[in-house]
Amino acid sequence: MTSPQRAPRVCLICKAKKKACGKELPTCSYCFKRGFDCVYDTESDTPPISDDLAEVFKPWSLTLFPMTVSTTTLDRTMAHHLHYMYRVVGQSPLQAGKRFLDNFQRWLPIISPRRLHEYIELSERGLPGADVSVLLLSICLVTLRSGGDLDDPFLHHSAVHVTVKTLYAQVQAIMHASSALVQAGLIISAYEYASGQIDSAYIAIAACIRMAQVVGIDAAYEKLGAVQEETRLHATSEWNLWWSMIVLERYGISL
């Protein structure tokens, strides 16, 4: 008789709650009985999870990543936060993406719809990078509806904002600048302007502009006349992103 496969380490939920994990695959018996998402700790450098977890793992029970964390661990942990956040608020990345394109994107066209859909598909397959996860988390933040999405008494716009900004700051500190990180920072800054957090918003957009210069987004105009359509479309998207940052910064100065 073949014995069932077991994971080499305990799952993150059992580890955090100090329960005896059966290590069954794909879901341990403890998580299965309670409907938890069972995620196994497969790498030695996985950041420890706080012991102060609620009955259900809350995404704002955050852990500081060590600066030496591997890319794989960072991506995997951020993907976990991403999927849990969307599950808690009761919407999918696809629904949030549609709301985003119908509203935010109309005023500040920071990402091409095709690229956003590519990111959403990556998230559904569990393959987004940490920067893409942060971008989709920021989209979750600005597409929440106070009446419909926030039924959980523990979940409030301010809690979601703190969670997203904390994760953004950690990823920004660990990995190289990217367009997705710039886009996430711009969205967070716009949210802070809209919620009256003027100083935080102004600092955030200034950091976005510096990141954009590192990535070369400010020079995207040089490729607007490219022969290849793909290059031209990408340059147009980045040039729109650059001017969205300038508009938002000027708005902050005028306040």
Side-chain angles (χ1 to χ4, degrees):
M1 182 176 178
T2 305
S3 59
Q5 284 189 319
R6 295 184 183 276
R9 295 185 177 90
V10 300
C11 77
L12 298 181
I13 293 292
C14 289
K15 181 178 179 180
K17 297 177 72 63
K18 298 181 180 179
K19 299 293 183 180
C21 183
K23 303 181 184 178
E24 297 92 347
L25 291 172
T27 303
C28 76
S29 55
Y30 181 84
C31 291
F32 178 80
K33 291 177 182 178
R34 291 159 181 80
F36 294 157
D37 285 336
C38 190
V39 179
Y40 282 99
D41 182 359
T42 58
E43 293 189 35
S44 59
D45 61 351
T46 299
I49 294 181
S50 169
D51 290 331
D52 299 323
L53 294 179
E55 181 62 25
V56 177
F57 178 78
K58 297 293 184 182
W60 51 87
S61 299
L62 300 176
T63 316
L64 292 177
F65 293 107
M67 295 303 293
T68 56
V69 66
S70 71
T71 300
T72 301
T73 298
L74 183 63
D75 290 347
R76 184 165 55 85
T77 306
M78 286 303 304
H80 179 74
H81 282 296
L82 170 67
H83 290 295
Y84 193 86
M85 175 70 81
Y86 272 99
R87 194 180 74 174
V88 167
V89 302
Q91 68 173 342
S92 68
L94 186 61
Q95 291 170 324
K98 185 178 185 306
R99 288 186 194 175
F100 181 82
L101 293 175
D102 289 344
N103 296 280
F104 191 104
Q105 176 80 0
R106 294 176 61 188
W107 300 101
L108 292 172
I110 68 169
I111 186 171
S112 70
R114 185 176 70 173
R115 180 57 57 87
L116 178 56
H117 287 132
E118 288 174 355
Y119 286 161
I120 291 171
E121 288 179 5
L122 285 174
S123 73
E124 291 174 344
R125 297 203 302 267
L127 300 174
D131 54 346
V132 172
S133 290
V134 170
L135 172 58
L136 295 178
L137 280 167
S138 68
I139 289 175
C140 178
L141 171 65
V142 296
T143 55
L144 288 177
R145 296 177 300 187
S146 299
D149 296 328
L150 303 181
D151 295 330
D152 188 328
F154 291 102
L155 189 64
H156 187 270
H157 272 285
S158 60
V160 178
H161 170 240
V162 170
T163 298
V164 173
K165 186 153 187 178
T166 301
L167 291 170
Y168 165 75
Q170 291 190 67
V171 173
Q172 182 189 26
I174 294 171
M175 67 179 296
H176 294 296
S178 68
S179 294
L181 273 181
V182 173
Q183 290 159 339
L186 186 150
I187 293 171
I188 292 170
S189 176
Y191 174 86
E192 290 172 341
Y193 275 128
S195 57
Q197 303 174 60
I198 308 302
D199 291 345
S200 295
Y202 189 66
I203 292 170
I205 196 62
C208 286
I209 290 174
R210 299 298 172 263
M211 274 199 297
Q213 290 172 326
V214 170
V215 177
I217 293 174
D218 60 323
Y221 69 90
E222 297 174 357
K223 300 178 182 178
L224 292 176
V227 176
Q228 293 184 336
E229 182 181 9
E230 184 68 25
T231 302
R232 192 167 61 251
L233 291 175
H234 180 68
T236 301
S237 177
E238 293 206 326
W239 193 234
N240 287 339
L241 172 59
W242 175 252
W243 274 103
S244 294
M245 285 185 285
I246 298 302
V247 168
L248 204 57
E249 185 196 36
R250 294 295 183 268
Y251 174 74
I253 292 174
S254 69
L255 294 177

